[in-house]
Amino acid sequence: MDAATTRGPPADSAAIYRRLLGYIGPYRGFAVIAVVGMAFEAAAAGVFTALMQPLVDETFVARNPAAALWVPLAIVALFTVRGLATFATSYSIARIGRGVVGTLRRQLMGRLMVLPSRWFDRESNPAIVQRLTWFPDQVTQASSDAIKVIVTDSLTLLALLVVMLMQSVKVTLTMLVMGPAIVAIVAIVGRRYRRISGRVQDSMLDLARIGEEAVAAQQLVKLHGAADREGARFAEAVERTQRLQVKIEATRATSSALVQWIAAVALALIVWLAGREAMAGRLAAGEFVALMTAMMAMLPSLKRITQVQSMIQRGVAAADAMFRLLDTPAENDRGTRTLARAAGRIVFEDVTLRYDASRQPALDEVSFVAEPGRVTAIVGRSGSGKSSLVRLLPRFYEPDAGRILLDGVPLADYRLADLRRQIAFVGQDTMLFDDTVANNIAYAAQHEVPREAILAAAESANAMDFIRHLPQGLDTPVGERGVLLSGGQRQRIAIARAILRDAPILVLDEATSALDNESERLIQQALERVMRDRTTLVIAHRLSTIEHADQVLVLDGGRIVERGTHAELVAAGGLYAQLHRMQFRDA
Ligand SMILES: Nc1ncnc2c1ncn2[C@@H]1O[C@H](COP(=O)(O)OP(=O)(O)OP(=O)(O)O)[C@@H](O)[C@H]1O
Ligand SMILES: [Mg+2]
């Protein structure tokens, strides 16, 4: 649950690789084809260089007419086989890779949807979305590239080595001396690369976060003339990313250059040795050409192998972030009690909620009873804990002390899905999906909803009068987050959603935004219709709502400081009476 579970130092790479390999399981067949294909590619490289010897010694030196014919034919045959092998390899890797990416994405999304609200409070949305979209690709690309290099290039090196040994053992062994030097350099460079690559990923997330914030708040930015400030903040992040990316490129370039230089020195050594062998009559021209061709063919493979470390590290860093997300504990859903339809009696007993241990509690020993068929209004200043209180009912947050009972049973004893099905929740910020009006209303129901039911719900929510004027009526798209509608219209759609849900508990977190009298009246009427025969908890800012409530709870600093009916509280002359004079507007 801790933020540290999704950040922090990278875990053991071997464990991460083992876990990734597990994802290939269902594609074992393709994996075998891919490896066989790679082996063919490597063997083809060996055979091709071996052909250099008869080409030179038989065709050119001995002028053998048979060789002049079979060598070119062999080359065609060889590349036919190699082409088929390359295709089989690439195709199989694509199948495995895309399959694994899909599985990872589905798993990540599945996990995200059951993570507790506290987790989302700590993560930025772009960072979360990036783990869903970019990371699986990054991981799969890096691992399949790495595997391809490891298998194909090491087998190619092996095949070429065999060819070389066939020509001259002495010359070939000289080359092996250079091996350890190359390995050492690769190891050193790899460690540095891994460190920087983690930082590059963090800085990319920063970039996305800052960019998204500025884009989302573009009207605010313009209004405050803060374009320069946002630009500067972004530029700073850009520069940091840029610096790190150049650094990582420099690390990679240094490593390639060094390894290639070492290979060149090895080449010089071998040429020198080969010259001496030739003079001693132990090395024919064809054998020398085959040796040289093999050595040249080794260079690209060697170069790629030095880069494999960086590929692996890139993949491991992304896989690590992804697996941490997959391993983040889900919401606690250990309750076993089933619940078809609750009567709706809600009891809070000394409930305390802290978002943050270092701050004072958002709710402090709150106790009350909400009876079925009754309306409980919750009032209080901004930040007094009203929304926090109602968010405990669907268990978006867990109280730190005290208990909440529904029909006499603690909330945690119910199955989470059963509990949540009992609640229709119209939140403070109306959340709409980028879909049609009708589908947004029907979102409340788990199953297919008849059109008439949607229409009836919209009618009861007094939403039809504006929906009718939309270009496509109920089938009008509402835009991303409902931006194409006004605040009051969004709210009425949310109320229609709640009506359609027909749950025994209704929670309304009234928006404080000022609505015109007409809209207020319409919403008020709609609400009264939904409140009937349910347990209603309403965070109220409108006098008309509060006056009709059976009990009013007055929150201040997370505590219930007063309770009673509207009339009693006004008469008592306390905080409520004060709020009443200053805040509540009559509809
Ligand atoms: N997700 C959260 N993480 C941390 N602190 C939070 C979170 N949500 C609310 N708080 C804090 O808890 C306190 C109560 O907030 P809450 O949203 O319940 O107030 P409210 O009474 O609904 O206010 P308003 O009338 O403005 O909506 C505030 O101090 C707020 O800063
Ligand atoms: Mg609130």
Side-chain angles (χ1 to χ4, degrees), residues 86-331:
T86 309
F87 174 80
T89 304
S90 302
Y91 180 79
S92 304
I93 286 184
R95 281 294 294 266
I96 299 171
R98 292 298 105 197
V100 171
V101 168
T103 308
L104 283 169
R105 287 211 176 111
R106 279 193 296 275
Q107 285 185 351
L108 286 166
M109 189 63 185
R111 172 59 37 165
L112 273 178
M113 291 297 99
V114 297
L115 288 179
S117 300
R118 282 187 202 261
W119 185 86
F120 287 93
D121 288 346
R122 276 186 287 243
E123 297 283 329
S124 80
N125 283 351
I128 297 174
V129 172
Q130 214 161 18
R131 285 201 206 117
L132 214 53
T133 54
W134 188 56
F135 281 24
D137 271 330
Q138 174 97 345
V139 169
T140 310
Q141 189 63 47
S143 349
S144 53
D145 285 353
I147 289 173
K148 191 151 187 257
V149 169
I150 290 169
V151 177
T152 311
D153 287 313
S154 52
L155 286 180
T156 303
L157 288 179
L158 198 70
L160 293 172
L161 201 66
V162 170
V163 172
M164 289 171 75
L165 285 171
M166 277 161 35
Q167 315 303 329
S168 163
V169 176
K170 203 171 181 181
V171 175
T172 307
L173 289 182
T174 318
M175 242 206 108
L176 295 184
V177 179
M178 306 314 290
I182 294 174
V183 170
I185 289 167
V186 169
I188 294 166
V189 173
R191 223 171 300 138
R192 181 179 158 81
Y193 189 90
R194 177 183 171 137
R195 213 176 45 239
I196 306 174
S197 112
R199 273 161 52 202
V200 166
Q201 236 156 41
D202 282 352
S203 74
M204 289 294 279
L205 288 182
D206 265 358
L207 208 62
R209 187 178 49 77
I210 295 171
E212 205 243 25
E213 224 164 63
V215 168
Q218 49 97 11
Q219 290 182 347
L220 187 79
V221 171
K222 284 176 188 155
L223 207 57
H224 288 76
D228 290 346
R229 193 161 8 125
E230 287 303 322
R233 212 154 74 94
F234 191 68
E236 202 182 301
V238 167
E239 211 206 310
R240 201 168 45 242
T241 315
Q242 223 171 323
R243 241 190 353 254
L244 284 172
Q245 276 171 339
V246 169
K247 207 159 154 186
I248 214 165
E249 205 45 54
T251 311
R252 188 162 35 213
T254 312
S255 121
S256 315
L258 257 175
V259 171
Q260 287 193 46
W261 182 80
I262 290 172
V265 172
L267 182 86
L269 234 145
I270 286 161
V271 169
W272 173 75
L273 194 70
R276 288 189 40 173
E277 292 290 290
M279 280 174 228
R282 284 193 294 265
L283 195 63
E287 287 169 337
F288 179 69
V289 171
L291 261 174
M292 287 299 283
T293 315
M295 276 189 325
M296 291 304 180
M298 273 183 173
L299 290 184
S301 287
L302 273 178
K303 187 180 164 193
R304 276 194 295 270
I305 283 186
T306 63
Q307 286 167 349
V308 83
Q309 179 81 353
S310 71
M311 286 178 201
I312 292 177
Q313 291 317 331
R314 204 169 54 221
V316 165
D320 189 30
M322 228 172 46
F323 287 146
R324 277 165 201 267
L325 175 54
L326 282 179
D327 294 341
T328 308
E331 286 179 299

Side-chain angles (χ1 to χ4, degrees), residues 4 6 34 47 68 119 184 193 206 213 225 260 280 310 317 329 345 354 361 408 476 500 505 507 562 575:
T6 48
V47 174
W119 185 86
Y193 189 90
D206 265 358
E213 224 164 63
Q260 287 193 46
S310 71
R345 187 167 194 270
R354 279 173 198 280
T476 312
L500 193 64
I505 299 170
V507 176
E562 289 170 33
L575 176 61

